[in-house]
Amino acid sequence: MPYNVKDVVANKPSRFTAGHRMCAGCGAPPAARMVMRALKPEDHAVVAGATGCMEVSTFIYPYTAWTDSFIHTAFECAGATLSGAEAAYVSLKKQGKLDNTTKFIAFGGDGGTYDIGIQSLSGAMERGHDMVYVCYDNGAYMNTGIQRSSATPKFADTTTSPLSIISKLFKWIQSRTNWKVKCYFGIV
């Protein structure tokens, strides 16, 4: 049966609700909403959020945009936190103390995934934990001033990107003339 997005949006309740404080036009909220809508209605979810835009904008104590269990983790350990929760769930299920179906989902930005969190994520994957990790790559560390990450595309303009030869050329021209030249090189 094909996945009908229009039908899912119209008929399945959102498990990632409105009222979060994400930036207008950000792609992370619709992505999180669709990931959560992909779950079966009877499934429970444990969501881990690595510190980053999504975490600080969707879970401001005592308010949350998540209808399922949510764990705020430090930047580097979303994979480790969720793998520990999944291992506890498996143990309790084997002991007969739980009978529900629980899904484990982690969300992290490109900085919290590519740079800081890769070690705990690779450990969780190597051990074979039953979890889903969603990396929303917005090209930089956005909630701390747009610093580059290892996932930032080459030639992208961030506050910590090395100056390209073209940027240096424009700065040299500006310093020797009264031209108002602006370098508009963005993501290529």
Side-chain angles (χ1 to χ4, degrees):
M1 180 170 126
Y3 190 80
N4 186 333
V5 174
K6 195 183 242 183
D7 184 51
V8 168
V9 170
N11 298 321
K12 267 186 132 174
S14 179
R15 296 167 90 150
F16 179 76
T17 62
H20 54 78
R21 291 161 177 88
M22 297 293 286
C23 296
C26 177
R33 191 168 291 116
M34 293 310 291
V35 167
M36 298 304 289
R37 278 189 169 137
L39 297 171
K40 294 177 183 171
E42 64 273 10
D43 289 346
H44 174 71
V46 174
V47 179
T51 299
C53 291
M54 183 171 278
E55 190 283 322
V56 300
S57 299
T58 64
F59 190 78
I60 302 167
Y61 184 79
Y63 307 104
T64 182
W66 304 94
T67 60
D68 289 284
S69 300
F70 184 82
I71 305 171
H72 165 226
T73 68
F75 230 154
E76 67 278 2
C77 59
T81 300
L82 206 58
S83 65
E86 189 265 347
Y89 167 77
V90 168
S91 175
L92 291 171
K93 192 133 178 155
K94 282 182 182 175
Q95 295 172 37
K97 295 181 179 179
L98 290 175
D99 58 358
N100 64 340
T101 302
T102 301
K103 303 295 183 183
F104 297 88
I105 305 166
F107 289 92
D110 52 320
T113 304
Y114 284 76
D115 296 335
I116 300 170
I118 194 70
Q119 78 286 359
S120 69
L121 176 59
S122 68
M125 296 297 117
E126 182 182 351
R127 291 186 300 271
H129 290 282
D130 187 11
M131 57 185 266
V132 173
Y133 191 100
V134 179
C135 171
Y136 57 98
D137 181 0
N138 52 12
Y141 291 85
M142 292 301 183
N143 75 322
T144 56
I146 314 174
Q147 293 94 357
R148 71 168 300 285
S149 76
S150 58
T152 302
K154 191 173 183 176
F155 304 119
D157 188 21
T158 69
T159 57
T160 57
S161 295
L163 286 176
S164 69
I165 188 70
I166 294 171
S167 297
K168 289 178 186 175
L169 177 64
F170 279 129
K171 287 184 188 290
W172 182 82
I173 290 170
Q174 282 180 322
S175 70
R176 284 160 176 67
T177 66
N178 57 1
W179 292 355
K180 298 296 179 209
V181 180
K182 174 108 175 133
C183 182
Y184 286 106
F185 288 92
I187 297 175
V188 179

